[in-house]
């Protein structure tokens, strides 16, 4: 009671000091209130004094005055109020712990993608002018005597069948199990599968090792996406997802440089696989020690559960049905799957094309391609996340869909230029521009997905995203390999070029159309008065 009375007295004192005395004329100071005296202000005998802004009385002023037994004077504390309002508009800084967790997840993603892409690069390593034994030492294709169809199977379905299927259940585990253990444990296991691949001598053995690699790598991504969604808020999640997606490009760049590692350092393709397995085990140990499992939220994201509300169907099928219920979710998954098809096909056959079209530039391709995949892909991913967050701040979260739509459309044009020129350096330049345009899609797309589903469905939604992408994506290399073998053009640059333009270039255009449709679907939902499920 005494504190309340002091605050009231202080407020009264402040008002009395700021109130104009009845006998004071309104001539010398510009009147900022309705004059209650009924008389017009007298003509000033001297130039009017400049207007002094009246102080805004806040509860903070009254409290400070009450505690210090001092009545605040006019103008006091205005700067503090301005800074306080600015602080309220700015998002809180991301804790250091979140960035450390993201760094560990990124390191696991790099080894994941490096393991996955290494097979294609060590299959396509140039062996011209080498003896049969020397070629078998550095090249998987020369050692295992793989056909183009077998290569398409190993680079596509052999990896993705278990990767996609097990990933759905890995997403369920990520919604209920220790996500740190899933990420680090998966890294240990896929490093073991990598070491196993270094010992194979036939197609069946390679098939078994690649299948195991896909199974164990499926454990990591859903848990990683779920951790990112919890460690980062809506205003920074797009940037965090884009940083995490850098693992795709850094891992791909290291896989490209592994051609030099296998050929020029004496490791061979088997030694390169063994070295990568050791690196993966080290990353797993660091991740297990640094990453901490946060307290799990029972709801969140876009569709928070109400008090007392429970999900009607907790089965995997029920969760998938709930995730796919919005029309926007269906369009997002379809557009992303087509985009995966373009990426998988390029990843499998682009090294083969450059080996065939430019056989004298094997080492140069390894270096240039690493710079393109790592540098241009990294730049595109970071810009995509930053631009998407900026667009979402001004035009709503659905504006994020414009980033992959524009990127895929322009990427198709640069891909055409890269594959149709006869100049190697110019082809590399166009390929770099294609990467800068087309590789901006992952972060914005994951942010859209995470905004469409509740927190307790993030793991399952991420695994479903990867499942659809893996199934549709892996069909690209398989179909292209079958077509090239049936037409007898697997060893010609013209045949591979035409296949890449039809498969990857066409997929880019369909992807652009899909994300443009997603933008319209999200806008139509809002226009119809449906509650927006996306944080802006």
């Amino acid at each position: 009671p005494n504190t309340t009375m002091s605050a009231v007295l202080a407020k009264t004192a402040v008002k009395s000091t700021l109130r104009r005395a009845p006998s004071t004329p309104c001539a010398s100071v510009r009147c900022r209130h309705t004059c209650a005296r009924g008389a017009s202000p007298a003509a000033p005998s001297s130039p009017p004094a400049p207007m002094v802004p009246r102080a805004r009385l806040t509860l903070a002023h009254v409290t400070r005055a009450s505690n210090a037994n001092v009545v605040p004077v006019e103008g006091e504390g205005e700067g503090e109020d301005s800074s306080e309002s600015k602080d309220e508009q700015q998002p809180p800084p991301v804790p250091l712990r979140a960035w450390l967790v993201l760094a560990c997840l990124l390191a696991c993603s790099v080894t994941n993608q490096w393991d996955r892409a290494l097979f294609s690069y060590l299959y396509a390593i140039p062996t011209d002018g080498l003896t049969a034994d020397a070629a078998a030492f550095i090249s998987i294709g020369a050692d295992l005597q793989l056909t183009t169809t077998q290569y398409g199977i190993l680079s596509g379905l052999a990896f993705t069948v278990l990767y996609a299927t097990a990933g759905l259940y890995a997403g369920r585990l990520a919604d209920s199990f220790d996500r740190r253990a899933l990420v680090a444990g998966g890294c240990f296991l896929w490093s073991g599968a990598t070491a196993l691949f270094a010992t194979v001598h036939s197609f069946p053995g390679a098939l078994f090792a690649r299948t195991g690699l896909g199974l164990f790598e499926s454990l990591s991504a859903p848990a990683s996406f779920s951790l990112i969604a919890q460690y980062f808020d809506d205003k920074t999640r797009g940037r965090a997802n884009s940083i995490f997606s850098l693992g795709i490009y850094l891992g791909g760049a290291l896989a490209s440089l592994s051609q030099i590692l296998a050929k020029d350092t004496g490791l061979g393709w088997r030694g390169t696989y063994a070295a990568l397995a050791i690196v993966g085990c080290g990353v797993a140990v660091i991740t297990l020690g640094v990453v901490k499992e946060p307290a799990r939220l029972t709801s969140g994201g876009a569709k928070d559960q109400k008090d007392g509300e429970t999900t009607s169907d907790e089965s995997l099928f029920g969760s998938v049905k709930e995730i796919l219920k919005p029309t926007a979710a269906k369009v997002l998954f379809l557009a992303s799957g087509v985009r995966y098809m373009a990426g998988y096909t390029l990843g499998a056959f682009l090294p083969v094309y450059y080996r065939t079209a430019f056989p004298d530039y094997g080492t140069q391709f390894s270096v240039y391609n690493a710079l393109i995949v790592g540098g241009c892909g990294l730049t595109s991913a970071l810009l995509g996340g930053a631009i998407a967050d900026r667009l979402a701040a001004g035009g709503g979260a659905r504006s994020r869909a414009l980033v992959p739509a524009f990127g895929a459309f322009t990427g198709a044009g640069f891909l055409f230029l890269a594959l149709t020129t006869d100049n190697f350096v110019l082809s590399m330049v166009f390929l770099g521009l294609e990467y800068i345009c087309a590789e901006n899609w992952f972060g914005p797309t994951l942010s859209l997905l995470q905004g469409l589903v509740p927190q307790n469905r993030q793991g399952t939604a991420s695994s479903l995203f990867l499942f659809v992408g893996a199934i549709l994506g892996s069909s690209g290399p398989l179909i292209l390999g079958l077509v090239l073998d049936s037409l007898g053009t697997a060893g010609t640059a013209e045949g591979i070029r035409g296949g890449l333009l039809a498969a990857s270039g066409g997929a880019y255009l369909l992807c652009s159309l899909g994300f443009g449709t997603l933008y319209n679907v999200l806008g139509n939902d809002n226009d119809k008065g449906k509650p927006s499920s996306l944080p802006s």
Side-chain angles (χ1 to χ4, degrees):
N2 293 334
T3 303
T4 303
M5 182 61 69
S6 299
V8 171
L9 292 176
K11 184 174 181 179
T12 303
V14 172
K15 286 185 175 181
S16 64
T17 59
L18 298 178
R19 186 179 297 120
R20 191 185 306 276
S23 58
T24 304
C26 297
S28 60
V29 178
R30 193 176 305 169
C31 186
R32 299 181 62 240
H33 61 276
T34 302
C35 186
R37 291 184 288 279
S40 299
S45 57
S46 60
M51 180 183 68
V52 179
R54 189 172 179 179
R56 182 178 61 179
L57 186 65
T58 64
L59 181 59
H61 293 151
V62 175
T63 304
R64 287 197 296 266
S66 174
N67 292 337
N69 294 323
V70 176
V71 177
V73 297
E74 188 172 1
E76 180 182 343
E78 289 182 6
E80 297 174 5
D81 291 341
S82 176
S83 62
E84 288 173 4
S85 62
K86 290 181 181 179
D87 291 340
E88 291 175 359
Q89 296 175 0
Q90 296 177 353
V94 179
L96 177 61
R97 167 63 62 181
W99 293 115
L100 291 176
V101 169
L102 183 60
C104 291
L105 297 179
L106 174 60
C108 287
S109 178
V110 170
T111 62
N112 185 307
Q113 298 295 330
W114 190 358
D115 277 331
R116 188 182 311 185
L118 184 62
F119 171 74
S120 295
Y121 285 102
L122 295 188
Y123 170 85
I125 189 170
T127 58
D128 297 336
L130 299 178
T131 64
D133 290 341
F137 180 72
I138 65 172
S139 170
I140 295 175
D143 193 0
L144 303 185
Q145 296 296 307
L146 301 174
T147 66
T148 306
T149 301
Q150 289 175 333
Y151 169 68
I153 292 173
L154 290 175
S155 62
L157 286 180
F159 175 86
T160 56
V161 166
L162 272 182
Y163 175 82
T165 305
L168 289 174
Y169 294 93
R172 295 286 289 172
L173 288 175
D175 288 334
S176 58
F177 193 65
D178 189 330
R179 291 163 287 186
R180 177 193 62 165
L182 287 174
V183 175
C187 192
F188 270 120
L189 292 172
W190 78 61
S191 297
T194 302
L196 177 63
F197 195 91
T199 66
V200 302
H201 293 276
S202 63
F203 172 73
L207 182 65
F208 178 77
R210 286 286 289 180
T211 302
L213 182 70
L215 172 64
F216 298 134
E217 287 196 355
S218 68
L219 297 174
S220 175
S224 298
F225 292 139
S226 179
L227 285 170
I228 291 172
Q230 188 166 348
Y231 269 102
F232 294 86
D233 61 15
D234 298 332
K235 294 182 176 61
T236 57
R237 192 174 295 152
R239 199 172 310 154
N241 282 320
S242 295
I243 292 174
F244 178 74
S245 73
L246 298 183
I248 300 173
Y249 312 108
L250 294 176
L254 291 172
S256 181
L257 290 174
S258 296
Q259 288 187 331
I260 300 176
L261 191 65
K263 186 176 182 179
D264 298 338
T265 63
L267 283 178
W269 75 265
R270 297 181 186 275
T272 303
Y273 263 89
L276 180 53
I278 296 173
V279 172
C281 290
V283 171
V285 172
I286 295 174
T287 301
L288 197 62
V290 173
V291 177
K292 303 299 181 184
E293 176 72 13
R296 195 179 295 270
L297 301 176
T298 57
S299 64
K303 299 179 181 178
D304 292 342
Q305 292 175 326
K306 298 178 182 179
D307 294 339
E309 181 181 349
T310 58
T311 304
S312 58
D313 191 350
E314 290 295 336
S315 66
L316 177 60
F317 177 78
S319 298
V320 171
K321 184 178 179 181
E322 179 185 348
I323 292 168
L324 292 177
K325 187 176 181 180
T327 302
K330 298 183 185 72
V331 176
L332 184 147
F333 279 108
L334 184 59
S336 300
V338 174
R339 176 60 181 80
Y340 266 112
M341 183 183 295
Y344 270 65
T345 307
L346 284 176
F349 282 94
L350 201 60
V352 181
Y353 167 75
Y354 277 101
R355 182 192 66 183
T356 307
F358 303 98
D360 297 331
Y361 292 88
T363 301
Q364 292 92 326
F365 171 75
S366 299
V367 176
Y368 292 167
N369 186 65
L371 294 175
I372 290 170
V373 174
C376 297
L378 182 148
T379 301
S380 181
L382 291 178
L383 286 176
I387 293 173
D389 285 345
R390 181 67 61 88
L391 289 176
R398 74 180 185 127
S399 300
R400 288 190 170 103
L402 297 176
V403 175
F406 177 79
F409 183 80
T410 53
F414 284 118
L415 177 63
F416 175 83
L417 295 174
L419 295 178
T420 54
T421 181
D422 294 330
N423 185 285
F424 174 76
V425 175
L426 192 58
S427 179
M428 291 288 98
V429 171
F430 286 135
L431 185 63
L433 294 174
E434 183 269 333
Y435 262 85
I436 290 177
C437 293
E439 299 301 326
N440 58 17
W441 74 284
F442 200 79
T445 304
L446 258 295
S447 298
L448 286 168
L449 176 62
Q450 290 164 347
L452 285 169
V453 298
Q455 179 69 47
N456 61 344
R457 290 287 184 268
Q458 294 288 341
T460 304
S462 300
S463 63
L464 182 62
F465 175 82
L466 297 174
F467 173 82
V468 173
I471 294 299
L472 291 180
S474 62
S475 65
L478 175 61
I479 295 173
L480 183 54
L482 290 172
V483 170
L484 293 177
D485 273 344
S486 63
L487 296 177
T489 57
T492 65
E494 293 77 11
I496 300 173
R497 178 192 298 120
L500 285 174
L501 288 175
S504 295
Y508 272 151
L509 295 177
L510 289 175
C511 169
S512 178
L513 179 63
F515 279 104
T517 303
L518 176 62
Y519 175 81
N520 290 328
V521 168
L522 293 171
N524 291 336
D525 287 347
N526 292 338
D527 292 340
K528 293 176 183 177
K530 296 180 182 180
S532 176
S533 59
L534 291 170
S536 58

